[in-house]
Every structure is written in C-alpha cells, then in structure tokens.
Amino acid sequence: QVHLVESGGGSVQSGGSLRLSCVVSGFPYNTYCMAWFRQAPGKEREGVATIDSDGITNYDDSVKGRFTISQDNDKNTLYLQMSSLKPEDTAMYYCALENILSGCGSWPPLSYGMDYWGLGTLVTISS
C-alpha cells in the first residue's frame, strides 16, 4: 500500500518560514507527479506546487518566489520550503501523488487527478 505522511506544520508569525515534509512509502513506479495542496477554512482545496519525476516544478502565482518544492529520492521525501509567510497562507497542507507516465500536466493540478493523499499538516500564520 502507498502511504504519504506529512510533517513540519506549525504556528509562526508573518514573515517567518517553515519546511514541510512528506514521506512516501510503498510506491513502486519511477514516474509520477507529486504536489502540495492546501485548504483554508471555508475554501476549496487548491494546488500550491508540483514536481514530477524529472524534477520539473510549477507553482501557484500566490507562492512564486516564496515557496520551493523539492524532493529527495534517496529518502523518498517531498519537501515544501515556505518563506515570507503571510496570514493568507494559513491552511491545512496536503501532499499528493499521481501515478503518471510523464509530467504533471498543465496548471493547476486537479485534486481528483491525484491517486494518493496524506492526512495533512496544519500551518497557521499570525499577523
């Protein structure tokens, strides 16, 4: 079975930084798309960043220049480095994995297109 486990969330002040991690286990394929989504209270889940098995990344405009998605294949871990955090970044952050032959496709990533999800990690930014 495929499992995704997020960690690294927390409460920080505006302007601060956090690094989220997502450890993946049980995924047997070499090609994929991985993504970070977030869902704020009362809002729909939205894509934040994606990275594919070739290392190609994409970001939502709201986080470009502030967030960096990366992966460590030796550790089977996906990361989201978040800097210059704003109160509007407050949300539950989820990592997701899609078994796909090539690329993450066009932006934005679609929630229903992802095959596996973690349970999320909460990020709270105070002003």
Side-chain angles (χ1 to χ4, degrees):
Q1 287 186 338
V2 179
H3 293 283
L4 283 66
V5 180
E6 302 97 334
S7 62
S11 298
V12 298
Q13 289 190 328
S14 181
S17 299
L18 284 172
R19 188 177 79 158
L20 306 184
S21 300
C22 173
V23 177
V24 181
S25 60
F27 186 71
Y29 305 108
N30 293 323
T31 58
Y32 54 82
C33 171
M34 290 209 70
W36 286 100
F37 287 78
R38 66 186 179 186
Q39 188 166 18
K43 294 188 177 182
E44 293 189 356
R45 191 171 296 188
E46 61 177 4
V48 175
T50 59
I51 187 167
D52 66 20
S53 44
D54 290 327
I56 297 172
T57 60
N58 207 346
Y59 298 90
D60 187 76
D61 285 344
S62 66
V63 306
K64 281 182 181 176
R66 300 190 299 122
F67 291 10
T68 302
I69 189 171
S70 63
Q71 58 191 348
D72 185 332
N73 291 329
D74 291 337
K75 295 182 179 179
N76 294 326
T77 302
L78 176 73
Y79 300 102
L80 185 68
Q81 178 67 48
M82 306 186 295
S83 302
S84 301
L85 284 162
K86 305 174 181 180
E88 51 263 44
D89 295 318
T90 294
M92 186 71 80
Y93 284 72
Y94 301 89
C95 68
L97 170 63
E98 181 182 8
N99 179 16
I100 193 169
L101 291 179
S102 63
C104 287
S106 60
W107 190 265
L110 301 174
S111 298
Y112 58 80
M114 308 308 289
D115 298 309
Y116 306 99
W117 290 86
L119 295 180
T121 186
L122 182 63
V123 172
T124 303
I125 312 302
S126 58
S127 57

